[in-house]
Amino acid sequence: MKLSNSIFWSLAMSLIMITACSGPKKEAATLLIYGGPIYTVDSVQTIVEAVVTKDSIILFAGNLEEAEKYKNEQTQVIDLKGKTMTPGLIEGHGHFMGLGNAELEIDLLNTTSYQEIIDIVAEAVKKVEPGEWIIGGGWHQSKWDSLPADAVNGFQTHDLLSAVTPNNPVYLSHASGHAGFANAKAMEIAGLQILSKEGIDKFEIEGGEVMRDKTGRLTGIFNERAQRLIYQHIPQDSPEKKAKAFDLAVKACHRNGITSFHDAGIGSQTLKFFENAKAANKMNVRIYAMLRGGDKDLLNEWYKKGPFIDLDNRLTIRSIKLSCDGALGSRGAWLLEPYTDRPGHFGHETLPMEMVQETALNGLRNGFQVCSHAIGDRANKEILDRYEAAFVELPNLKTDHRFRIEHAQHLHPDDIPRFAELGVIPAMQAVHLSSDRPWAIDRLGEKRIKEGAYMWQDLLKSGIPIVNGTDVPVEPLNPIASLYASISRKTLKGTPEGGYEPEQKMTREQALKSYTLDAAYGAFEENIKGSITAGKLADFTIYNQDIITIPEDQFLKTEIAMTIFNGDVVYKKNE
């Protein structure tokens, strides 16, 4: 049949109009998410209606009408039903295998008395064979209702613990990880005596302290580097235990909306385990691992190889962790002036500053970021001095170094602006304020607390980002608690009214950024994650309520409703 000219041109024009209106063909979406507030942490558009992903990458973030153009029959659609979504949260400083092991060992995090610890350990003894080690952690004497009458330097003694564990060695790590508590059996296995046969006092440990009473008798407390006297006798974890701990850590991250994890100090064995897990497709959290700085052989090996930046962004090795002082809780943080509640005691320099200088230079020469643990004001000052000296010595290599100080908890006022001046990133765990501030004032006194402790807003205003986190297993992984601390500066019980030093609170937007884009920046990864932006990785955290607008007194009721990693739903609450 032959068409008339009028019909032919009508059909031709219709075809042209359809083609013109449809424009270029959109790429088909794997996933479309809409139906609730979506905070992008992108400065161009801070909130959007919908997000579209293709496999592991974000294709589009914007209005729903445009997003639906990417949809086809195979596209998975998630209706948030009023829930809130943000970029996937990044744990900016934690210990990944420690997170898993904490779920396998005795958990003392919520204990409120020494007697409660005794009772928990006594129950554990019933479940193990004689001679088997009992390991646990999380206790903190400053959080107890009261201290035992025979306390030495603010710590309990081992007698009650030893009485219920005559046949089992016990070692219980302090919540900070910077001290530990051993029973008599553990100290016996370690061969610890007041005086060795050679007449050498084994308890003089540089950068640490074996605590003794006035008669010289061991109390069971081992502070900082002295912990190695016990650690070296604890059997290594079996491959089965490591595998289980790793699996538990991955699941804990997913439950808590964590899609990336900055692992603050791993040795060669853990690194090998991570490499094997990645090869077996089990690395379902993005790990930014810091090499343990005390292992010079490990560092020299990596200086020769150079940084490893994973093509699929599951495992990255480009930083070094140095442990330079202790914690406030154990009075190991290195201070410029003595502890208010222990006159004459300044804490511990747990790593020679010459090594910080050497590592800073090697880091610049070989492309590695240096991340130094420092809690006390002297430790922070000394590290900033060593970083600065390295930048002066190698000025052509200091561009975009992104060196970090982990914790930066207590600073001398003169050192606060130096972070921005030197480009040094403070990685600070806001939840430590909730846990520590009620008793930290006893350690430092009011003046030092107000002028230099947890100085979040002063640091942000100076122009340097803050990397947030929890230091898990020192604190629970729960990011909601740390975000709450960031915006309220209160304990998790909601005290005091108005918060501690409220002028240092973060805004909601600053807090969210510290857990997303700023944390990504702290790992050189802001171009691939940290905001909901086209071209970045499809990692998202979904909450049961709006963390930007809910009243502060409702914030801790926030729950993680869903976690999306690499474009796949890896966690749904109640599933």
Side-chain angles (χ1 to χ4, degrees):
M1 182 177 66
K2 191 172 180 179
L3 294 172
S4 68
N5 284 340
S6 60
I7 295 174
F8 174 81
W9 284 111
S10 295
L11 289 172
M13 288 304 294
S14 297
L15 183 60
I16 290 169
M17 289 296 293
I18 291 169
T19 304
C21 290
S22 64
K25 184 173 174 57
K26 299 285 188 184
E27 193 168 358
T30 308
L31 179 64
L32 188 155
I33 308 168
Y34 77 101
I38 300 174
Y39 295 103
T40 65
V41 197
D42 184 314
S43 59
V44 176
Q45 50 177 2
T46 57
I47 186 167
V48 296
E49 290 182 327
V51 173
V52 174
T53 72
K54 170 74 174 196
D55 299 324
S56 64
I57 302 297
I58 299 169
L59 277 183
F60 172 81
N63 66 67
L64 178 58
E65 183 180 358
E66 186 68 21
E68 287 185 326
K69 295 177 182 178
Y70 292 85
K71 186 173 67 171
N72 66 14
E73 295 79 6
Q74 283 74 47
T75 302
Q76 179 186 0
V77 177
I78 294 177
D79 182 351
L80 295 173
K81 297 180 179 178
K83 298 182 181 70
T84 297
M85 188 169 90
T86 71
L89 297 180
I90 300 171
E91 169 57 57
H93 178 110
H95 304 276
F96 195 77
M97 294 303 288
L99 165 61
N101 281 323
E103 298 201 21
L104 295 173
E105 297 169 352
I106 295 176
D107 181 7
L108 304 173
L109 202 58
N110 296 313
T111 51
T112 58
S113 69
Y114 183 23
Q115 185 58 51
E116 192 175 350
I117 289 175
I118 301 304
D119 295 342
I120 291 171
V121 173
E123 284 301 309
V125 170
K126 298 174 184 177
K127 302 173 185 177
V128 298
E129 297 295 325
E132 189 175 340
W133 279 81
I134 295 173
I135 304 297
W139 63 272
H140 198 306
Q141 79 289 353
S142 293
K143 298 179 183 179
W144 293 346
D145 298 334
S146 62
L147 276 173
D150 62 347
V152 175
N153 293 328
F155 287 95
Q156 71 279 13
T157 60
H158 72 85
D159 300 278
L160 292 177
L161 177 67
S162 298
V164 299
T165 56
N167 301 313
N168 294 91
V170 178
Y171 196 66
L172 308 174
S173 295
H174 190 267
S176 67
H178 287 266
F181 185 38
N183 71 343
K185 192 68 175 179
M187 291 186 282
E188 176 189 323
I189 289 172
L192 299 179
Q193 302 167 340
I194 299 301
L195 200 66
S196 69
K197 293 179 181 178
E198 296 79 16
I200 299 171
D201 188 345
K202 294 182 180 180
F203 305 143
E204 291 298 323
I205 305 294
E206 186 176 356
E209 179 183 17
V210 178
M211 211 162 282
R212 290 177 275 187
D213 63 20
K214 291 179 180 179
T215 68
R217 182 173 172 273
L218 296 176
T219 66
I221 298 293
F222 294 80
N223 214 339
E224 303 303 339
R225 296 179 73 180
Q227 292 189 83
R228 288 185 292 183
L229 294 173
I230 303 293
Y231 272 146
Q232 62 186 330
H233 297 281
I234 299 175
Q236 290 190 352
D237 292 338
S238 67
E240 293 76 18
K241 183 181 178 183
K242 287 181 181 178
K244 190 170 184 181
F246 180 85
D247 184 56
L248 287 170
V250 170
K251 290 177 179 176
C253 285
H254 293 168
R255 280 198 312 275
N256 286 280
I258 301 297
T259 57
S260 293
F261 194 106
H262 296 186
D263 198 344
I266 65 169
S268 55
Q269 290 188 358
T270 300
L271 177 55
K272 183 66 176 175
F273 184 88
F274 284 171
E275 290 171 339
N276 290 338
K278 180 185 175 303
N281 294 318
K282 294 181 178 179
M283 187 68 77
N284 291 320
V285 173
R286 306 188 196 282
I287 293 184
Y288 183 79
M290 306 174 194
L291 300 171
R292 189 175 295 155
D295 188 339
K296 286 201 169 185
D297 290 338
L298 180 64
L299 296 190
N300 288 331
E301 174 190 342
W302 278 89
Y303 290 151
K304 292 176 184 176
K305 292 195 296 190
F308 172 76
I309 301 172
D310 194 0
L311 291 177
D312 61 359
N313 305 293
R314 302 292 181 107
L315 178 63
T316 300
I317 312 292
R318 68 176 301 174
S319 63
I320 299 163
K321 165 74 180 305
L322 300 175
S323 296
C324 302
D325 77 337
L328 275 178
S330 58
R331 297 181 185 83
W334 192 21
L335 305 182
L336 290 164
E337 301 294 334
Y339 278 82
T340 301
D341 58 358
R342 191 177 172 187
H345 182 67
F346 293 80
H348 301 287
E349 174 191 7
T350 58
L351 189 77
M353 289 298 105
E354 293 78 13
M355 188 168 176
V356 177
Q357 179 85 39
E358 175 189 329
T359 308
L361 291 168
N362 283 329
L364 292 174
R365 291 186 183 111
N366 297 286
F368 283 88
Q369 177 190 50
V370 180
C371 308
S372 298
H373 165 115
I375 289 180
D377 55 359
R378 180 163 184 187
N380 278 279
K381 178 185 185 305
E382 296 279 356
I383 291 166
L384 289 170
D385 288 349
R386 298 317 187 281
Y387 284 177
E388 185 173 15
F391 301 156
V392 170
E393 185 171 336
L394 299 173
N396 296 329
L397 298 178
K398 72 173 186 177
T399 304
D400 203 27
H401 56 79
R402 304 197 198 183
F403 281 16
R404 293 168 41 161
I405 290 185
E406 307 300 307
H407 309 305
Q409 198 166 331
H410 171 227
L411 309 172
H412 189 279
D414 292 346
D415 289 321
I416 294 170
R418 295 180 69 197
F419 283 81
E421 290 165 5
L422 297 173
V424 174
I425 301 167
M428 307 174 75
Q429 299 72 53
V431 71
H432 284 339
L433 176 131
S434 288
S435 297
D436 298 0
R437 176 57 181 80
W439 52 261
I441 195 167
D442 298 330
R443 303 283 195 272
L444 299 175
E446 185 176 4
K447 185 175 186 295
R448 286 189 289 186
I449 282 280
K450 291 186 177 299
E451 292 182 354
Y454 320 100
M455 304 299 286
W456 307 329
Q457 198 57 244
D458 279 8
L459 285 162
L460 288 167
K461 285 179 179 177
S462 76
I464 198 73
I466 289 176
V467 175
N468 213 327
T470 63
D471 200 11
V472 64
V474 174
E475 302 277 0
L477 184 62
N478 180 12
I480 302 304
S482 205
L483 288 167
Y484 173 78
S486 303
I487 65 171
S488 73
R489 291 183 71 94
K490 295 178 180 178
T491 69
L492 299 185
K493 294 180 179 179
T495 58
E497 184 69 29
Y500 292 107
E501 294 75 54
E503 66 279 1
Q504 296 299 331
K505 291 178 183 178
M506 295 186 202
T507 66
R508 305 262 179 135
E509 291 76 14
Q510 286 172 334
L512 178 58
K513 196 177 178 190
S514 73
Y515 248 100
T516 53
L517 192 59
D518 284 350
Y521 176 85
F524 299 88
E525 294 175 332
E526 74 278 11
N527 292 325
I528 61 168
K529 66 171 72 164
S531 67
I532 299 176
T533 305
K536 289 191 176 184
L537 292 163
D539 296 345
F540 312 115
T541 303
I542 298 168
Y543 316 79
N544 68 329
Q545 54 184 354
D546 190 331
I547 60 173
I548 300 298
T549 62
I550 53 170
E552 184 183 287
D553 62 3
Q554 298 297 307
F555 198 94
L556 286 174
K557 295 180 181 178
T558 304
E559 296 177 344
I560 304 301
M562 185 184 299
T563 303
I564 297 173
F565 173 77
N566 216 48
D568 295 320
V569 176
V570 293
Y571 170 77
K572 288 181 74 173
K573 187 168 176 60
N574 299 326
E575 288 191 9

